[in-house]
Amino acid sequence: VGRAFLGEFEQRVLLAILRSGDQAFALEVRRQIEQTCGQSVSRGAFYTTLDRLAAKGLVRWAAEPGGDRRDLQPQRRFRVTTAGLRELRASRRALVALWHGLDAVLGED
Amino acid sequence: MSRPTSPPRLPRWVLTRLVGADVRGRSILGDLHEEWTARGRGVSAGIWYWRIVSATSLWYGGATLARLTKGRPIVDLQGDLRAAWRAIRRSPGTSSLIVATLALAIGTATVGFTFADLALFRGLPVDDSSRVVSVFASDTRGSNRRGLISGPDFLDIQERSQTLTKVSAFRGASAALIEGGESKTLDVVYASADLFAAMGQHAQQGRLFRPGDDRVGAPGVAVLSDRYWREAFSGRPAALGQQIQIGREIFTIVGVLSTEMEFGNLADIDVWLPLRIAPDSARDARNLRFIARLRDGTAFETAAAEIAGLGDRLADEYPASNRGWRVRLVPVSELTGGEGFWVVVALFLLSVGLLIAIATANVSNLVLVRAASRQREIAVRAALGARQGRLVRQLLVEGLMLSGLGAMLSLPVASLALTLVGAASSERIFQQLRIDSHELSFVAALMVLCPLAFSLFPARSVTKLDVRTMLNAGGARGATTSMRGRGWLVVAQVALAVVLLTASSLALRSVRLVYAQPLGIETAPLVIFTLDFNDVQYPTPEAVRAAARDTRERLKALPGVERVTMLSALPILGAESLTSMTADGLEIGARDSKPTVVVTSTTADGGSTLGLTMLAGTWWSETSDDRDPAATDEAVVSLKTAVAYLGGVDAAMGRDLTLSRGPDTLRVRVVGVSSDVLAGDRTSGPLARVWIPLERDVRRHAVVVKRRGPIADLTTGIRSVVAAAAPSVPIESLDTYDRALDDAASSDVVIIGVLTGFALLAVALAATGLFGVVSYTASQRTAEFGTRMALGATARDLIRLVAFEGVRLLAGGLAVGLAGGVAVGFAMRGLLFGLSPADPVALGSVIGLLAAVTLLAVAAPALRAARVNPVQALRE
């Protein structure tokens, strides 16, 4: 049985968590993806992906108390685990290898 | 308008169910709350919230389904879902029409369901309600069918009954709360100690009444309603043990009731106090409601027989007060609403069912149209080896998806309608209608059941096709077979809509007749309010009298005021209890009860203020208002009293009457006969009434101010006069008589409005169904029309041809529907006032409306047929 690779959206979420640094709360991560990729992200897809990544042990979260703006509900700060970093690197290696030598076809001006 | 502090309740609730209440779930809720806040919390933010929650729910629902069905290759649900979504997207017009129809129908049906839900499932705050009973007293004259019982009768039943336990009684009242020298009117209930035990209610704080709390002379204890506890004590537990002064008595707060108690008008109750009944109080003052439990192992019939027997024995033992009175045991559910309450609930449930049936038929029709156009696709699939079950499942999944979308959109429809209902009537019961788990389950059930009906019917006709003919002929033959099915569907739809329309048209006409009756009072120039002269600031009847007289004189001096009258209770609006009366020379049959009348005490100008006409004699003179009250001996009787009990107007004059007033009796002499005033329920005709001079011990005064000339606003004037003349007395419900009457009628308006809404929606749905069938057939017959025109048919002939089909469908539907409607009319006969279930005006208007709607539905296709260009039609 081969190892399952990260899905594309999973990669986006993981990368956005890394880019958000210590501000990696769900809203900020989602904003990162939308801003950087220029596409809107469905909340349902986003939250279920976060659940899946957490279940695979690729991200971890810790809850922090939220203020009045959030009706005093907690907010989760996400962190990519070492396993998550390893998966990202593996995905990147695989993709870069596949992309290699295709500049003639896919190169952008 | 101030910004809301939290997002719409319903979607938030749905989301909580979906994501769970753990840290993860709450953090998602928090995220959405933050985004909602960032969007400014306004109306558009609310709409955004609805949209996001709907979309997210769909996602979670889909994910859950996929998870549940994973690894079961027999059901390729994901494939079905994908295919269904593609099919829906391929015909966006029909799909959105289906979704809109379902959203409207399910939303409206949900509104009907909230009413039934409140009555059936929430209902009276009584545990194990099939074992809880109440009683009604009734007299042989039939003027009381749901009468209350008196204190001594209650005590006797409590002592003697072997079949009932926790026998208890209660009565509502207004009482003055005295706080820092100010008086405030509270809604209170006086209840015997076992009442809460009989209902199965528990305290959420402290305790409820204990046996002995209701003994005469026991220390005063009070139980607060949850609402009042929160309002007056900010929900502090420290309220327990505190003392409050009500009237002249001090009560210690011992407990707080649970919110479950706040059902219907019980929600208005502030404080519950012990009911203390003196055994020697009057037996004919029937003012108590009764609640008890059947003893374990006792059947209702056994208890009913015992109580009826007890009632008869009391009638023998106390003939003066009880002769002719019977006591009847009833299930406690009879206490909910008035006599027609359960008929209304049944009517609502029927409407809900019919509406859903019509909408399902309509959607069936639309699905058939689409299925007909997809017969080729389905034939190809069948030819390629798709099994029939698979094809049916495909159609079902499609139906489920459509109804899921419809159900989701139905929630905002329902919640908007409930907002309108709440705004139309201030009645408690309408404010208590809401959408929660019951309603969501109802919607979910419809969401699953509707597509079973509307997908399976078309699915059968589609999958029965012979593949080879289908592929050869391109589907023309299949379409005609399905047309017969569609015609039947439309007939059924029209019939159901007619049933609904007939029922609501009868109800509407009946209510209009009820409110069209003359009241007997000239209400237009009247302003009313209530003053309760409490017995702390005004310890003696003389003090009350002086203050009332002073207030009245000052009010009279206000500019724009013509007259000021003070009464013990307002006719029609006030709580008017019946009093037994005897008259000299009045023969009462050996087994008959004494006549009962409403006794209203008033200042001498009561008749002229209310606009009553004198039929004989005069009102007593103003000076007798100030006489020694013990000597009061003059009265005016209403026409009904004179005719029913005193042998007519002339014979009534000068007669001596004996009225029972509490423990005493009052003797009065008739000095005049006045015109009648309608009873408060408006359906039982005028009340037998006796007007007497304002009594000595009246503390609550209903004040009626008659305005002079143009309707001036007297509110400010009245408030400042009362503030000066009786500073500690609060003004209750200051309003015009007319507005107060409108308020009292608002619940009828809401019920009729909702029923009419159901019926109109049903008619609209049936009309679109009719339109769909007629225009579809007409379009299928374009070639035929062309041929006919070429052979010499005129445009008029073609219009007639198309219209005939519409009329045929209408006639079929009308015939079946009117019969059903009249049957429903007979079932709701108890509600109909002054008209028969086959009322020609009501039925005529149904036929008229249906004919007009058919005309509209048929006009467009008929005109289109008339404009067919024969050359073009034949070439195609």
Side-chain angles (χ1 to χ4, degrees):
Chain A
V1 182
R3 222 180 79 214
F5 281 104
L6 286 175
E8 195 220 333
F9 190 59
E10 289 177 328
Q11 289 184 42
R12 289 192 186 191
V13 172
L14 286 172
L15 291 172
I17 293 177
L18 290 172
R19 291 175 75 92
S20 306
D22 61 351
Q23 284 304 305
F25 301 110
L27 284 180
E28 173 58 24
V29 174
R30 201 172 145 260
R31 205 186 56 79
Q32 271 288 349
I33 306 177
E34 292 193 331
Q35 220 165 49
T36 319
C37 308
Q39 276 175 346
S40 77
V41 172
S42 129
R43 287 170 186 75
F46 178 65
Y47 286 114
T48 43
T49 303
L50 282 176
D51 291 347
R52 199 164 53 239
L53 290 174
K56 288 187 193 168
L58 306 184
V59 302
R60 234 181 240 144
W61 52 262
E64 294 176 16
D68 270 344
R69 290 173 55 77
R70 317 179 40 88
D71 196 21
L72 303 180
Q73 303 284 15
Q75 54 183 344
R76 292 184 290 172
R77 192 200 292 274
F78 289 88
R79 184 169 68 75
V80 178
T81 61
T82 339
L85 291 173
R86 202 168 49 233
E87 289 289 321
L88 271 177
R89 286 198 195 98
S91 288
R92 178 162 173 253
R93 265 199 306 277
L95 285 175
V96 167
L98 280 171
W99 277 86
H100 185 73
L102 292 177
D103 276 359
V105 189
L106 295 167
E108 295 181 50
D109 335 278
Chain B
M1 215 173 76
S2 69
R3 301 259 138 167
T5 54
S6 70
R9 242 164 40 100
L10 182 60
R12 191 170 185 282
W13 185 87
V14 173
L15 191 66
T16 318
R17 292 295 109 138
L18 219 55
V19 298
D22 54 359
V23 176
R24 170 188 154 280
R26 283 190 292 125
S27 81
I28 294 178
L29 274 177
D31 286 348
L32 285 192
H33 193 100
E34 194 171 333
E35 288 191 75
W36 173 78
T37 309
R39 276 164 195 271
R41 304 179 166 205
V43 175
S44 64
I47 295 173
W48 170 86
Y49 198 84
W50 266 105
R51 197 165 54 76
I52 292 307
V53 169
S54 308
T56 310
S57 319
L58 206 61
W59 235 97
Y60 271 90
T64 315
L65 264 182
R67 213 168 34 245
L68 285 177
T69 54
K70 205 174 234 169
R72 267 190 277 167
I74 316 157
V75 185
D76 176 15
L77 198 62
Q78 259 177 336
D80 279 346
L81 282 175
R82 247 196 317 270
W85 184 237
R86 266 205 309 273
I88 289 171
R89 300 254 312 239
R90 227 178 0 242
S91 47
T94 318
S95 301
S96 25
L97 199 58
I98 292 176
V99 170
T101 305
L102 288 173
L104 268 181
I106 298 182
T108 317
T110 307
V111 173
F113 179 75
T114 54
F115 281 81
D117 179 32
L118 195 69
L120 290 170
F121 298 118
R122 277 151 234 256
L124 287 171
V126 168
D127 256 15
D128 190 13
S129 57
S130 61
R131 304 292 296 163
V132 183
V133 292
S134 182
V135 301
F136 285 133
S138 52
D139 66 359
T140 50
R141 295 177 186 272
S143 46
N144 293 282
R145 271 170 303 164
R146 295 159 59 89
L148 309 182
I149 67 165
S150 69
D153 284 353
F154 162 73
L155 291 178
D156 284 338
I157 295 177
Q158 189 180 41
E159 192 188 303
R160 299 186 197 176
S161 169
Q162 302 295 317
T163 59
L164 301 182
T165 168
K166 312 275 181 221
V167 179
S168 47
F170 66 98
R171 97 186 136 79
S174 297
L177 171 78
I178 313 294
E179 215 171 21
E182 293 282 305
S183 154
K184 184 173 169 267
T185 307
L186 295 184
D187 284 321
V188 302
V189 167
Y190 293 97
S192 58
D194 271 340
L195 179 75
F196 297 117
M199 300 175 79
Q201 284 291 322
H202 302 282
Q204 60 152 311
Q205 299 274 332
R207 67 169 178 94
L208 303 180
F209 296 146
R210 281 190 196 134
D213 278 346
D214 56 356
R215 228 180 30 241
V216 177
V221 293
V223 170
L224 308 185
S225 74
D226 177 79
R227 178 186 53 75
Y228 184 70
W229 176 53
R230 287 177 196 286
E231 274 171 23
F233 296 92
S234 324
R236 281 194 308 271
L240 298 191
Q242 281 192 30
Q243 298 195 319
I244 51 175
Q245 183 178 2
I246 292 175
R248 297 173 92 163
E249 207 183 333
I250 305 288
F251 293 88
T252 308
I253 299 172
V254 294
V256 179
L257 274 162
S258 75
T259 48
E260 196 195 333
M261 199 68 188
E262 289 169 21
F263 169 77
N265 294 334
L266 291 179
D268 289 329
I269 306 301
D270 299 308
V271 179
W272 298 72
L273 301 173
L275 171 72
R276 293 159 188 162
I277 304 168
D280 57 350
S281 53
R283 257 181 211 280
D284 52 5
R286 298 184 167 83
N287 57 3
L288 297 180
R289 288 200 180 282
F290 180 102
I291 284 193
R293 257 171 202 277
L294 297 174
R295 262 186 209 287
D296 286 342
T298 306
F300 178 83
E301 291 71 26
T302 320
E306 185 205 41
I307 296 303
L310 271 178
D312 293 345
R313 219 161 320 134
L314 289 175
D316 289 339
E317 289 169 34
Y318 305 98
S321 54
N322 285 29
R323 194 173 61 203
W325 283 86
R326 319 205 59 166
V327 183
R328 169 167 62 98
L329 198 71
V330 294
V332 74
S333 58
E334 298 253 328
L335 286 188
T336 314
E339 232 167 328
F341 182 78
W342 293 104
V343 184
V344 170
V345 170
L347 212 53
F348 270 43
L349 280 178
L350 178 76
S351 311
V352 166
L354 292 184
L355 202 58
I356 289 299
I358 294 171
T360 308
N362 222 358
V363 172
S364 267
N365 244 334
L366 293 169
V367 172
L368 258 179
V369 173
R370 211 167 49 178
S373 68
R374 279 173 56 193
Q375 278 170 344
R376 258 188 102 80
E377 172 207 327
I378 289 174
V380 170
R381 281 172 179 245
L384 290 177
R387 271 185 313 223
Q388 217 178 58
R390 174 70 209 263
L391 290 175
V392 171
R393 202 177 68 217
Q394 169 72 50
L395 287 173
L396 257 183
V397 169
E398 230 175 279
L400 263 176
M401 199 175 245
L402 288 169
S403 77
L405 287 171
M408 215 150 19
L409 290 176
S410 75
L411 293 176
V413 172
S415 89
L416 176 73
L418 286 186
T419 316
L420 290 179
V421 164
S425 173
S426 53
E427 285 269 336
R428 275 285 175 187
I429 200 104
F430 298 123
Q431 314 296 326
Q432 290 169 355
L433 298 172
R434 55 195 33 143
I435 298 172
D436 59 18
S437 56
H438 291 192
E439 281 67 30
L440 289 180
S441 325
F442 173 77
V443 170
L446 288 183
M447 187 184 96
V448 175
L449 291 178
C450 288
L452 282 184
F454 71 66
S455 302
L456 285 185
F457 180 49
R460 251 193 48 208
S461 78
V462 166
T463 51
K464 266 190 178 163
L465 295 171
D466 173 15
V467 172
R468 220 176 40 204
T469 6
M470 256 333 292
L471 289 176
N472 284 342
R477 294 249 312 271
T480 22
T481 32
S482 78
M483 276 322 295
R484 199 174 316 137
R486 298 189 60 199
W488 280 113
L489 273 179
V490 168
V491 170
Q493 255 181 306
V494 172
L496 295 179
V498 169
V499 170
L500 206 48
L501 198 58
T502 312
S504 72
S505 151
L506 284 170
L508 180 65
R509 229 176 97 66
S510 158
V511 164
R512 289 182 64 152
L513 286 175
V514 167
Y515 286 101
Q517 297 172 95
L519 299 173
I521 305 179
E522 295 270 347
T523 52
L526 304 183
V527 173
I528 52 173
F529 57 96
T530 302
L531 294 177
D532 191 346
F533 294 93
N534 66 71
D535 44 9
V536 175
Q537 267 89 4
Y538 306 95
T540 60
E542 286 71 33
V544 173
R545 229 174 155 73
R549 192 164 41 220
D550 181 32
T551 313
R552 186 169 169 228
E553 290 311 319
R554 294 201 201 195
L555 284 170
K556 274 188 191 168
L558 276 176
V561 170
E562 187 177 325
R563 241 188 263 282
V564 178
T565 293
M566 292 189 165
L567 306 110
S568 55
L570 287 171
I572 304 174
L573 289 171
E576 302 187 295
S577 59
L578 293 163
T579 303
S580 3
M581 175 190 87
T582 52
D584 293 351
L586 172 67
E587 297 283 328
I588 299 173
R591 303 226 53 90
D592 269 350
S593 53
K594 290 178 188 167
T596 50
V597 293
V598 167
V599 177
T600 308
S601 65
T602 169
T603 48
D605 56 357
S608 32
T609 305
L610 297 173
L612 306 183
T613 325
M614 284 317 278
L615 304 169
T618 55
W619 287 78
W620 55 88
S621 65
E622 182 87 23
T623 48
S624 47
D625 280 347
D626 292 335
R627 265 189 337 203
D628 174 12
T632 298
D633 65 357
E634 289 169 318
V636 170
V637 297
S638 72
L639 177 62
K640 166 113 185 240
T641 314
V643 170
Y645 305 129
L646 303 175
V649 174
D650 296 332
M653 291 295 292
R655 289 280 281 281
D656 284 332
L657 311 178
T658 309
L659 304 167
S660 86
R661 302 302 279 160
D664 309 318
T665 54
L666 180 71
R667 282 189 66 79
V668 290
R669 172 159 298 159
V670 177
V671 296
V673 178
S674 77
S675 56
D676 276 325
V677 176
L678 216 53
D681 68 0
R682 301 210 191 196
T683 52
S684 42
L687 276 179
R689 190 186 292 272
V690 177
W691 302 91
I692 59 170
L694 207 54
E695 282 176 295
R696 184 182 153 79
D697 51 355
V698 170
R699 289 195 172 274
R700 282 182 72 78
H701 290 67
V703 186
V704 180
V705 177
K706 184 173 184 183
R707 295 174 288 192
R708 192 202 310 272
I711 310 292
D713 183 19
L714 295 174
T715 319
T716 332
I718 289 173
R719 287 197 184 282
S720 54
V721 163
V722 174
S728 66
V729 176
I731 298 182
E732 295 168 37
S733 36
L734 171 60
D735 211 338
T736 65
Y737 216 123
D738 282 336
R739 258 204 304 270
L741 286 169
D742 285 348
D743 251 10
S746 67
S747 61
D748 283 346
V749 171
V750 166
I751 287 175
I752 293 299
V754 172
L755 266 183
T756 312
F758 288 158
L760 291 182
L761 183 59
V763 169
L765 289 177
T768 40
L770 197 70
F771 170 77
V773 166
V774 174
S775 74
Y776 182 75
T777 348
S779 73
Q780 294 282 300
R781 289 166 74 184
T782 313
E784 176 202 332
F785 293 155
T787 319
R788 282 174 186 266
M789 272 199 144
L791 292 176
T794 59
R796 185 179 302 205
D797 294 332
L798 291 187
I799 292 182
R800 201 175 305 141
L801 206 62
V802 174
F804 177 71
E805 188 181 1
V807 171
R808 203 168 45 96
L809 296 173
L810 171 74
L814 261 183
V816 180
L818 281 181
V822 172
V824 172
F826 270 99
M828 59 189 258
R829 198 159 33 167
L831 275 190
L832 298 181
F833 174 80
L835 77 172
S836 94
D839 180 62
V841 177
L843 298 191
S845 54
V846 171
I847 296 173
L849 181 63
L850 255 286
V853 166
T854 310
L855 207 67
L856 275 178
V858 171
L863 289 177
R864 212 177 316 128
R867 276 201 297 263
V868 165
N869 179 343
V871 180
Q872 216 167 23
L874 286 176
R875 193 179 298 144
E876 279 164 9

